[in-house]
Amino acid sequence: MKDLFPIPETVSRVTETLEKAGFEAYLIGGCVRDLFLGKTPKDWDVTTNAKPDEITGLFPKTFYENEYGTVGVVNEDEKDPALEIVEVTPYRTESEYSDSRRPDSVSFDATLEDDLKRRDFTMNAIALNLSKNKVVDPFGGRVDLQKGLIRAVGEPKKRFSEDALRMLRAIRLHAELGFTIEEKTKEGIKDSAELLKKIAKERIRDEFIKTLMSENPMEAIAVAQNLGVLEFVVPELLDAIGIEQNQAHAFDVWTHLLKSLQHSADKKWPIHIRLAALFHDISKPETRRWSKEKEEWTFYGHEVVGARKTEAILKNLKFPNELVTTVVKLVRWHMFFSDTEQITLSAVRRLISNVGKENVWDLMNLRVCDRIGTGRPKENPYRLRKYQSMVEEAMRDPVSVGMLAIDGKDIMDIAKIPASPKIGQILHALLEEVLENPELNKKDILSKKAIKLAIFSEEELKERGDSGKEKREEEEEKILKTIRGKYGVQ
Ligand code: ATP
Ligand code: MG
């Protein structure tokens, strides 16, 4: 097996240790699925007939993960984060599921076959033994992998009634792998969607994030809607279906949101941009009014209402506060672009202060998603480039005494002179020198220079400062030109 698949040392060491102690050990789950697909596994899971305390005894550093008996084997010298912890779980069977989310009890008195039977999809129920070159695949997982089918192990409806989260896992795997959900499995989801009401929001959130972070989130959300599952994840999105917009848009609000989301995925942008792309127009349905004068739909204030709604959705799904704050800011300010006013530096500064320095570039990216999502991106992207250029201008440190490694107070202390216009003149004189040679911008160097400059009279200092003024302006001009050139704007 080790010849067929690239198995890291760290992993085979774990299975060998178990086998040397007389236990069985198989790779299982997502890592086996990924190996057969020729992908690099994100994490490695081992299943064994050893019991939790027997596993713990075989490795120098371990920890218990949960009530299912999973032991995390810690590999401290490992640099690859995917290998730092290898999860080892005893074979187990599960009792009845009376609540659609977890078994009433689990038993470790089980065989490998029992353990494979409790797994969700055929492609996740393939076990691989490295030392014996053996594959255990009782449900035809390899055939389904080849056909690109996501098929429940056993009777789909029964399996979804045991743990409703499996329905979201199916959709997530569909998004990640581009596989088709097998017909009966699909029917099972349609019939069981409502059971998702019983699932902890945190579990739903984690699958939702994985779905959004896949390559095909648009398709996955559409499938979730189709199968009746979206109603139990983000019902608010359903209100956007069929909400027609004005001429600038080729699509209804629903399709626009999905296309914006998809663009964020095509760009491989992070989760907060993907969430903002999906939710930025979430309140268009309730703010839509027909304008007689314009003979068009208007959506005044949808970004304000939408920001609040986005906050409620994300909090309900237990997203971490910091992420919620960022996404809400992006949604709240996504209309910055529609101001018909001229783009001025002060307006751009206001925008930066509203959305936050750390978010302003993401807001520009959200705008790109929004624009592509219209399906009619006809407006000249010049305006966006102009914004980007102005943001860079507004964010950079201007050429001023503020960029020096010392300030007025330092000079008063070092040169022992009282507050007077002379301080400002010394700072200006120092700035001239730093502009000539940026290396000089260090506190100790400037301190020594300041002491020397303090000997000069105010008039002499003023002369030095003024002579450099022109140079400073030139310098400013050069920087602005470079920034504007970068964005191709005037
Ligand atoms: P990922 O690539 O995200 O790690 P995965 O399939 O490995 O995908 P895990 O959550 O790591 O997902 O689960 C490991 C294995 O445990 C799965 O492949 C599957 O065999 C089993 N499993 C996980 N969740 C469930 C569930 N809700 N019901 C049944 N089996 C499950
Ligand atoms: Mg996994």
Side-chain angles (χ1 to χ4, degrees):
M1 238 11 110
K2 277 197 264 178
D3 311 331
L4 285 177
F5 297 115
I7 311 288
E9 263 308 307
T10 303
V11 173
S12 49
R13 211 181 317 131
V14 173
T15 55
E16 276 162 23
T17 305
L18 284 159
E19 288 180 327
K20 273 197 198 121
F23 299 109
E24 297 170 15
Y26 289 83
L27 294 186
I28 184 70
C31 64
V32 178
R33 180 186 77 219
D34 288 341
L35 288 174
F36 276 108
L37 290 172
K39 294 185 172 188
T40 309
K42 291 195 291 286
D43 51 45
W44 296 81
D45 295 319
V46 172
T47 186
T48 176
N49 60 345
K51 307 283 185 287
D53 51 339
E54 293 171 325
I55 303 169
T56 313
L58 288 174
F59 299 95
K61 191 161 180 205
T62 58
F63 61 92
Y64 260 119
E65 274 220 320
N66 52 33
E67 74 261 51
Y68 297 128
T70 301
V71 175
V73 172
V74 183
N75 305 295
E76 280 187 316
D77 303 331
E78 191 46 76
K79 285 181 193 68
D80 180 351
L83 292 165
E84 267 168 57
I85 292 160
V86 173
E87 296 200 332
V88 182
T89 308
Y91 300 154
R92 63 172 206 254
T93 50
E94 293 170 349
S95 66
E96 285 304 294
Y97 285 66
S98 42
D99 61 0
S100 296
R101 45 188 183 155
R102 49 163 44 151
D104 300 334
S105 64
V106 301
S107 153
F108 300 132
D109 209 7
T111 62
L112 175 62
E113 279 67 23
D114 293 332
D115 186 87
L116 293 177
K117 229 187 277 175
R118 67 155 181 100
R119 294 187 179 261
D120 50 4
F121 303 107
T122 58
M123 62 179 167
N124 288 343
I126 309 170
L128 193 66
N129 184 290
L130 300 177
S131 60
K132 295 194 206 121
N133 275 340
K134 192 168 125 193
V135 179
V136 182
D137 177 16
F139 308 106
R142 279 169 300 176
V143 176
D144 283 340
L145 271 179
Q146 228 151 33
K147 290 191 192 157
L149 278 182
I150 300 164
R151 183 199 307 272
V153 167
E155 178 57 41
K157 265 178 89 167
K158 177 164 181 293
R159 302 312 310 285
F160 297 140
S161 76
E162 290 170 356
D163 180 2
L165 190 78
R166 289 170 187 160
M167 297 186 271
L168 295 189
R169 286 178 54 87
I171 293 170
R172 187 256 289 186
L173 288 164
H174 167 68
E176 285 181 340
L177 304 173
F179 283 15
T180 313
I181 304 176
E182 175 272 334
E183 217 40 54
K184 261 190 80 186
T185 305
K186 218 193 262 181
E187 290 305 315
I189 297 179
K190 272 190 191 158
D191 292 344
S192 319
E194 202 170 346
L195 295 176
L196 279 167
K197 277 186 186 165
K198 302 190 184 179
I199 298 297
K201 303 287 186 202
E202 290 83 351
R203 295 180 78 206
I204 293 183
R205 172 202 62 203
D206 290 347
E207 288 303 323
F208 186 49
I209 291 177
K210 284 185 180 173
T211 305
L212 295 187
M213 290 311 290
S214 73
E215 283 181 17
N216 303 300
M218 164 161 171
E219 156 75 11
I221 303 277
V223 167
Q225 187 262 329
N226 228 293
L227 298 179
V229 162
L230 192 59
E231 196 183 328
F232 304 100
V233 180
V234 193
E236 294 82 353
L237 278 171
L238 297 174
D239 299 336
I241 296 174
I243 301 293
E244 295 303 327
Q245 315 195 60
N246 53 39
Q247 279 304 307
H249 284 263
F251 308 116
D252 64 349
V253 175
W254 161 257
T255 309
H256 168 63
L257 290 176
L258 293 195
K259 294 226 176 224
S260 303
L261 165 65
Q262 188 55 46
H263 189 70
S264 68
D266 293 344
K267 289 285 191 184
K268 306 214 178 314
W269 281 332
I271 187 69
H272 57 280
I273 301 186
R274 298 191 192 204
L275 285 165
L278 180 60
F279 291 128
H280 73 279
D281 282 345
I282 192 74
S283 284
K284 271 193 168 176
E286 65 265 36
T287 53
R288 188 171 75 151
R289 305 277 180 278
W290 181 257
S291 158
K292 274 191 196 141
E293 304 95 78
K294 290 187 179 174
E295 298 208 317
E296 260 194 351
W297 292 110
T298 64
F299 303 91
Y300 293 122
H302 75 274
E303 71 277 27
V304 180
V305 188
R308 283 203 295 266
K309 199 164 175 178
T310 301
E311 183 173 15
I313 294 170
L314 296 180
K315 283 200 165 156
N316 176 45
L317 284 175
K318 313 277 184 207
F319 274 87
N321 287 335
E322 212 179 314
L323 180 56
V324 176
T325 308
T326 306
V327 178
V328 168
K329 276 192 188 157
L330 293 175
V331 173
R332 172 63 185 84
W333 299 106
H334 81 269
M335 293 296 288
F336 74 96
F337 200 74
S338 302
D339 257 343
T340 45
E341 278 171 46
Q342 219 201 331
I343 311 164
T344 61
L345 206 50
S346 64
V348 171
R349 286 216 176 91
R350 224 174 307 127
L351 178 69
I352 295 172
S353 118
N354 282 331
V355 76
K357 260 188 173 175
E358 66 289 6
N359 298 321
V360 69
W361 292 110
D362 292 337
L363 187 70
M364 300 296 134
N365 289 341
L366 175 60
R367 172 62 214 161
V368 173
C369 300
D370 193 353
R371 177 170 175 274
I372 298 296
T374 61
R376 277 180 197 153
K378 65 173 187 312
E379 99 236 352
N380 189 343
Y382 183 90
R383 196 173 157 80
L384 182 59
R385 293 208 310 274
K386 180 74 186 162
Y387 256 108
Q388 290 170 325
S389 171
M390 297 282 272
V391 166
E392 195 161 327
E393 275 182 38
M395 300 261 277
R396 92 198 156 81
D397 292 324
V399 176
S400 78
V401 294
M403 64 191 254
L404 293 175
I406 60 173
D407 61 15
K409 191 172 170 309
D410 294 329
I411 293 183
M412 292 195 294
D413 291 347
I414 300 160
K416 305 208 173 22
I417 46 176
S420 69
K422 199 168 172 178
I423 307 288
Q425 285 157 353
I426 293 175
L427 283 169
H428 272 106
L430 290 174
L431 178 62
E432 298 323 318
E433 298 205 33
V434 168
L435 287 178
E436 283 300 333
N437 178 7
E439 301 264 300
L440 300 179
N441 198 7
K442 299 197 178 74
K443 193 159 182 175
D444 53 337
I445 301 178
L446 295 184
S447 300
K448 282 186 200 136
K449 288 189 175 288
I451 294 169
K452 284 187 195 151
L453 285 167
I455 308 165
F456 291 99
S457 72
E458 283 191 23
E459 285 70 41
E460 285 166 318
L461 284 170
K462 191 166 177 307
E463 242 168 65
R464 283 177 172 243
D466 283 352
S467 75
K469 203 169 158 202
E470 231 168 76
K471 168 122 189 29
R472 208 161 53 239
E473 280 164 4
E474 255 171 49
E475 200 69 21
E476 276 277 334
E477 214 34 59
K478 237 171 41 202
I479 295 172
L480 292 184
K481 231 172 135 181
T482 314
I483 294 176
R484 289 170 190 165
K486 183 168 136 195
Y487 293 97
V489 298
Q490 301 275 305

